[in-house]
């Protein structure tokens, strides 16, 4: 029965795919003027703020025609590096050139060269170019890693890096990661989850003192400090059981928080951020720069060096956890 029902569904999917390909073929081969981008790739720097994309019409120029355009994310993300846009372009009678404006969003931290696509579709009284119906937009990032604050020194290579010092660069690196989308919230959430174990330490120290000074104390004057006053031994047994239950629940809460911190995976997010941006940087090198760097060195940087950099960030989070524990112990 499952096989019998599955066959018609498969036929419908095949038919819809065929219809979609046929519609695309008709869009390209339909009569009329050709509308397409003037170039397959456009380049813009983040500092320029915007980019003008030109769309041309080729043919008799008789009558009006219309096409739809929209942006598509690639390595660039709408709302982060650029402002998403879509709409219709209408060519009037005799008009052969139109332009649309792509707005870039201000980026206040280091980023590599990223890319998006702008696609033309739904032609009306015209047809799309066979190849230039889609263009790529490369947004070039020229900032120094981890920031351009020490750009003049970093231009000089290792002498400039030594002049700046490792701690200053490490501070800029921390600021970069904390400003990165998707990592900031995870970082502060992880710090809060890690501090839960310190609250457990507070309860552990308090409960030990309470057990010795109140529950196990033969002094009758301490009975007023009992949480429960009814039951065996004037409520001492029930109070001890209550503290045990609270301690057990706290252990479950701490375990849950640690599991949640693992699932948040700040280390994985930082590592992925470094690997993706490093590889994007490498892809936009000139051929001579790639040959000078070498594939083996690049592979080592992506596989091992990025891991070390990510571990340094997690080391800061571990230090914050220890500072919280030291504060609890000394308070």
């Amino acid at each position: 029965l499952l096989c019998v029902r599955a066959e018609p569904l498969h036929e419908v999917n095949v038919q819809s795919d065929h219809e979609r390909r046929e519609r695309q073929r008709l869009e390209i081969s339909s009569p009329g003027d050709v509308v397409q981008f003037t170039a397959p790739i456009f380049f813009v720097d983040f500092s320029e703020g915007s980019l003008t994309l030109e769309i041309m019409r080729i043919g008799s120029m008789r009558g009006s025609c219309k096409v739809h355009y929209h942006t598509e994310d690639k390595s660039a993300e709408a709302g982060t590096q650029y402002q998403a846009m879509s709409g219709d372009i209408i060519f009037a009678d005799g008009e052969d050139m139109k332009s649309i404006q792509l707005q870039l969003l201000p980026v206040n931290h280091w980023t590599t060269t990223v890319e998006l696509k702008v696609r033309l579709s739904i032609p009306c009284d015209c047809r799309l170019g066979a190849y230039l119906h889609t263009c790529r937009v490369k947004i070039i990032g020229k900032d120094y890693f981890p920031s351009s604050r020490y750009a003049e020194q970093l231009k000089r290579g290792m002498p400039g890096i030594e002049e700046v010092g490792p701690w200053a660069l490490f501070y800029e690196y921390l600021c970069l990661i904390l400003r990165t989308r998707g990592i900031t919230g995870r970082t502060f959430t992880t710090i809060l989850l890690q501090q839960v174990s310190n609250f457990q330490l507070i309860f552990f120290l308090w409960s030990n003192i309470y057990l010795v000074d109140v529950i196990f104390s033969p002094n009758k004057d301490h009975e007023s400090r009992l949480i429960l006053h009814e039951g065996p031994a004037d409520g001492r047994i029930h109070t001890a059981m209550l503290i045990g239950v609270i301690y057990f629940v706290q252990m479950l809460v701490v375990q849950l928080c640690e599991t949640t911190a693992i699932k948040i995976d700040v280390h994985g997010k930082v590592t992925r951020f470094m690997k993706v941006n490093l590889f994007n940087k490498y892809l936009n090198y000139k051929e001579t720069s790639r040959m000078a760097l070498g594939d083996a060195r690049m592979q080592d940087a992506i596989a091992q060096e990025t891991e070390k950099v990510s571990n340094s960030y997690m080391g800061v989070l571990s230090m914050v956890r220890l500072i919280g524990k030291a504060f609890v112990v000394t308070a």
Side-chain angles (χ1 to χ4, degrees), residues 2 6 18 35 49 116 142 158 172 216 219 223-224 234 244 253 267 293 311:
L2 180 61
H18 175 73
V35 176
L116 66 130
K142 296 181 179 179
M158 285 304 301
E172 294 296 326
F216 298 143
N219 192 343
E223 291 182 357
S224 59
D234 297 327
V253 172
H267 180 270
L293 178 63
N311 289 338

Side-chain angles (χ1 to χ4, degrees), residues 167 170 173-174 177 187 190-191 194-195 266-268 270-271 306-324:
W167 289 109
F170 185 64
Y173 164 71
L174 294 180
I177 298 300
T187 296
T190 300
I191 291 175
Q194 289 178 344
Q195 296 303 317
V266 174
H267 180 270
V270 175
T271 303
T306 54
E307 193 75 21
K308 294 178 182 178
V309 174
S310 302
N311 289 338
S312 66
Y313 184 76
M314 298 306 298
V316 173
L317 299 188
S318 299
M319 185 180 300
V320 173
R321 182 176 187 172
L322 293 176
I323 291 174

Side-chain angles (χ1 to χ4, degrees), residues 6-46:
E7 289 177 358
L9 291 175
H10 179 69
E11 292 176 357
V12 171
N13 291 334
V14 172
Q15 184 178 5
S16 63
D17 291 341
H18 175 73
E19 291 176 351
R20 184 170 64 253
R21 288 195 297 269
E22 185 66 18
R23 286 197 302 268
Q24 293 175 352
R25 186 185 67 81
L26 290 174
E27 287 178 359
I28 297 177
S29 61
S30 58
D33 292 354
V34 175
V35 176
Q36 62 184 24
F37 288 101
T38 57
I41 304 178
F42 293 86
F43 297 89
V44 62
D45 193 285
F46 271 107

Side-chain angles (χ1 to χ4, degrees), residues 46 81 107-114 141-149 154 172-173 175-177 179-180 273-282 285:
F46 271 107
Q81 284 106 356
V107 178
N108 58 355
H109 59 81
W110 171 80
T111 183
T112 60
T113 298
V114 293
K142 296 181 179 179
D143 292 337
Y144 285 88
F145 177 83
S147 77
S148 294
R149 182 176 181 179
L154 297 179
E172 294 296 326
Y173 164 71
C175 294
L176 166 66
I177 298 300
R179 288 195 296 260
T180 301
F273 170 78
M274 295 301 303
K275 288 184 176 181
V276 168
N277 283 279
L278 182 60
F279 190 65
N280 283 342
K281 198 76 172 177
Y282 177 72
Y285 279 179

Side-chain angles (χ1 to χ4, degrees), residues 137-264:
V137 177
K138 283 184 173 289
I139 310 176
I140 301 173
K142 296 181 179 179
D143 292 337
Y144 285 88
F145 177 83
S147 77
S148 294
R149 182 176 181 179
Y150 304 103
E152 295 299 325
Q153 293 89 333
L154 297 179
K155 287 179 182 178
R156 303 201 307 267
M158 285 304 301
I161 293 175
E162 293 175 355
E163 179 183 338
V164 175
W167 289 109
L169 292 176
F170 185 64
Y171 173 76
E172 294 296 326
Y173 164 71
L174 294 180
C175 294
L176 166 66
I177 298 300
L178 286 175
R179 288 195 296 260
T180 301
R181 182 181 178 184
I183 298 180
T184 306
R186 284 181 167 87
T187 296
F188 288 107
T189 302
T190 300
I191 291 175
L192 291 176
L193 292 174
Q194 289 178 344
Q195 296 303 317
V196 173
S197 61
N198 293 333
F199 289 108
Q200 183 194 27
L201 178 61
I202 293 175
F203 179 79
F204 176 77
L205 297 175
W206 174 84
S207 60
N208 283 342
I209 297 173
Y210 184 82
L211 288 173
V212 174
D213 292 347
V214 179
I215 295 181
F216 298 143
S217 175
N219 192 343
K220 296 293 183 179
D221 296 336
H222 292 169
E223 291 182 357
S224 59
R225 296 173 57 188
L226 291 171
I227 300 175
L228 301 176
H229 298 279
E230 298 181 358
D234 297 327
R236 296 175 187 269
I237 302 298
H238 288 174
T239 299
M241 293 175 61
L242 177 61
I243 292 177
V245 170
I246 295 175
Y247 187 79
F248 177 75
V249 171
Q250 277 196 335
M251 291 179 60
L252 294 179
V253 172
V254 170
Q255 185 64 33
L256 178 63
C257 291
E258 291 180 352
T259 303
T260 304
I262 293 174
K263 290 184 177 181
I264 290 176

